[in-house]
Amino acid sequence: MGNRIGHLRRRAATGRPPKPNDPQVEMVRAALEQGAQAHGFEADLWTLERVGAVITGATGVVLSRASVWRLLTGRLGWSLQRPERRAVERDESEIARWIAHEWPRIKKGP
């Protein structure tokens, strides 16, 4: 009998793709808590794509956007938060003054 091992070919893995285990999820949590800028992103804002990149970098596991969302909301307890669209030059004290003084005057009429 000859050595038949050379005839075996490695087959691609089948079945469900891997997902992060509990220790890996905690590594991801720690990485995300550092903020997006700590991972080289320009703005300190997390997107599903950015979180996915951090997950892959920390664990080697590649997740779809839907799986990233499930990990964030289910296992990490995070929620969707959108930044407020607010003018940088907004002056809160001037707005309060206008509402208190100008708006009643305008509302009453001349």
Side-chain angles (χ1 to χ4, degrees):
M1 287 204 272
N3 184 351
R4 296 172 62 157
I5 294 177
H7 297 286
L8 297 178
R9 288 197 183 140
R10 184 176 196 135
R11 292 192 350 200
T14 58
R16 191 173 214 167
K19 60 182 180 179
N21 58 30
D22 289 342
Q24 289 174 320
V25 170
E26 289 311 311
M27 285 178 13
V28 169
R29 180 190 309 275
L32 296 178
E33 287 174 351
Q34 294 172 349
Q37 288 177 320
H39 295 279
F41 299 109
E42 191 173 317
D44 211 14
L45 179 71
W46 287 115
T47 64
L48 291 177
E49 288 80 10
R50 289 178 176 189
V51 173
V54 170
I55 291 169
T56 302
T59 67
V61 176
V62 178
L63 297 178
S64 68
R65 290 181 68 208
S67 294
V68 169
W69 177 252
R70 280 192 297 273
L71 184 131
L72 283 173
T73 58
R75 294 180 76 183
L76 294 176
W78 285 32
S79 62
L80 174 65
Q81 296 179 1
R82 290 201 168 107
E84 287 187 32
R85 303 272 184 232
R86 190 174 276 193
V88 174
E89 45 299 308
R90 184 176 166 113
D91 183 347
E92 296 297 332
S93 62
E94 177 60 22
I95 292 168
R97 186 204 64 76
W98 189 90
I99 290 171
H101 299 290
E102 300 298 324
W103 177 240
R105 183 182 62 77
I106 293 169
K107 195 171 169 184
K108 283 182 194 171

